[in-house]
Amino acid sequence: MTESPLNVIDVLLVEDDPGDVLITREAFKHHKVRNTLHVVKDGVEALAFLRREGEYENMPRPGLILLDLNLPRKDGHEVLAEVKADAELRSIPVVVLTTSEAEEDIVRSYNLYANAYVTKPVDFETFIEVVRQIDDFFVTVVKLPR
């Protein structure tokens, strides 16, 4: 199946671990994902990016957010709560992509209206495959609001 240019979206990765950022970038390159990956390292920056504040005023609205839970300054649950409470942002799908397998984190994320909860694999090849599947699903399969 050939991806059309209409399916190219901006993806916001909210991740403070440089290794996970690198792996995600590699996954995008490896699978020739044409989406633009934007990266911020904490929850405060994520909200500034999404609200186009300060240095992020000219950034595009992402079509998908990949959100880690364990973030400095404002954690992923706080970011998720603010995004889903904001009428301008709530329609952006949020995939929680985290190392936590704790049931309370999973339940809390879905209670805050996360669109999906994915535990980061520790194996490089599996991590790349997970990122590819997320991309395939949210860019190729589902219809996203513009």
Side-chain angles (χ1 to χ4, degrees):
M1 177 180 229
T2 304
E3 187 177 334
S4 74
L6 297 175
N7 289 341
V8 176
I9 64 169
D10 287 278
V11 177
L12 177 61
L13 174 64
V14 187
E15 175 60 69
D16 65 319
D17 183 319
D20 287 349
V21 171
L22 181 63
I23 290 171
T24 304
R25 285 189 193 282
E26 286 300 314
F28 270 56
K29 284 181 196 168
H30 183 74
H31 289 290
K32 297 178 177 60
V33 174
R34 292 181 295 184
N35 299 325
T36 303
L37 184 66
H38 304 274
V39 180
V40 294
K41 65 183 180 304
D42 65 49
V44 172
E45 286 184 23
L47 291 167
F49 184 103
L50 292 165
R51 293 176 177 143
R52 299 179 183 147
E53 298 171 343
E55 66 183 284
Y56 303 106
E57 70 180 330
N58 295 317
M59 295 311 245
R61 175 189 166 99
L64 177 65
I65 301 168
L66 302 177
L67 178 65
D68 188 20
L69 290 182
N70 303 311
L71 299 168
R73 301 205 296 165
K74 190 175 287 247
D75 74 25
H77 284 125
E78 293 172 293
V79 172
L80 183 57
E82 287 193 44
V83 167
K84 294 305 182 178
D86 186 318
E88 294 293 314
L89 304 175
R90 75 172 54 118
S91 65
I92 302 171
V94 178
V95 175
V96 173
L97 184 60
T98 187
T99 55
S100 175
E101 295 184 33
E103 185 68 18
E104 66 231 27
D105 283 337
I106 297 167
V107 170
R108 185 172 176 204
S109 294
Y110 282 118
N111 284 341
L112 291 170
Y113 305 105
N115 296 84
Y117 190 101
V118 179
T119 303
K120 293 177 192 171
V122 292
D123 170 74
F124 177 74
E125 289 299 321
T126 307
F127 190 100
I128 285 178
E129 181 59 20
V130 164
V131 171
R132 185 196 63 75
Q133 288 178 8
I134 291 169
D135 179 72
D136 280 352
F137 182 73
F138 280 97
V139 179
T140 307
V141 178
V142 296
K143 292 287 183 198
L144 298 174
R146 296 195 183 267

